[in-house]
Structures are given as structure tokens and as C-alpha cells.
């Protein structure tokens, strides 16, 4: 299992693209500089009226399958 820490600031207006069918994935960068492309629906539990903000720990298999996404702060 591997883990990445991601600091995310995604305003609600940008997340709206997923609801409107204009986007399926969110591109972000981990603290160590790795590019991460995550299906937007994984962020839905963390969505507020303002958007998705905070620090998150992403756990995934060696093959890249997401195991868990948890908020650390925000």
C-alpha cells in the first residue's frame, strides 16, 4: 500500500463541472510533487457549499487502485 498527502483547494464552481458532465476527473498534485488524477465522485463526501478544501491522505495499491481517501484537516 502506498500513501500520498494532498492539499486541495477546489472551489464549488469548479466542482460543478462534474455535476454538469463536463469533467470526470480532478487533477491535483501531492505534497511530494506527483500528479494525481482522481475520479471526481471520490471527493463528493468532502464537498461543502464552498467546495472541497483541506489536506487529504490517499491510500492506494501498488497498481494505483484507490483504497481510502481521508481528510486530515480543513
Amino acid at each position: 500500500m502506498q500513501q500520498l498527502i494532498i492539499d486541495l483547494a477546489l472551489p464549488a464552481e469548479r466542482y460543478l463541472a462534474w455535476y454538469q458532465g463536463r469533467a470526470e476527473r480532478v487533477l491535483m498534485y501531492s505534497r511530494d510533487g506527483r500528479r494525481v488524477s482522481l475520479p471526481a465522485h471520490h471527493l463528493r463526501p468532502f464537498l461543502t457549499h464552498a467546495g472541497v478544501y483541506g489536506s487529504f491522505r490517499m491510500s492506494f495499491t501498488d497498481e494505483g487502485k484507490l483504497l481510502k481517501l481521508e481528510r486530515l484537516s480543513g
Side-chain angles (χ1 to χ4, degrees):
M1 178 173 68
Q2 298 186 44
Q3 295 185 340
L4 292 176
I5 304 296
I6 296 167
D7 299 309
L8 190 57
L10 182 64
E13 299 82 32
R14 302 241 3 240
Y15 194 84
L16 185 61
W18 178 72
Y19 278 108
Q20 295 172 338
R22 294 184 288 125
E24 293 182 14
R25 304 183 76 81
V26 175
L27 179 62
M28 55 196 122
Y29 290 89
S30 66
R31 286 186 181 171
D32 66 0
R34 287 188 260 181
R35 189 171 81 160
V36 178
S37 177
L38 182 70
H41 72 269
H42 289 296
L43 297 172
R44 191 172 185 175
F46 309 107
L47 180 63
T48 67
H49 289 292
V52 182
Y53 292 89
S55 297
F56 298 86
R57 177 183 297 127
M58 177 187 293
S59 302
F60 56 96
T61 66
D62 291 336
E63 294 77 30
K65 181 180 178 185
L66 181 66
L67 297 172
K68 183 167 45 166
L69 182 64
E70 60 186 321
R71 183 189 304 267
L72 300 175
S73 67

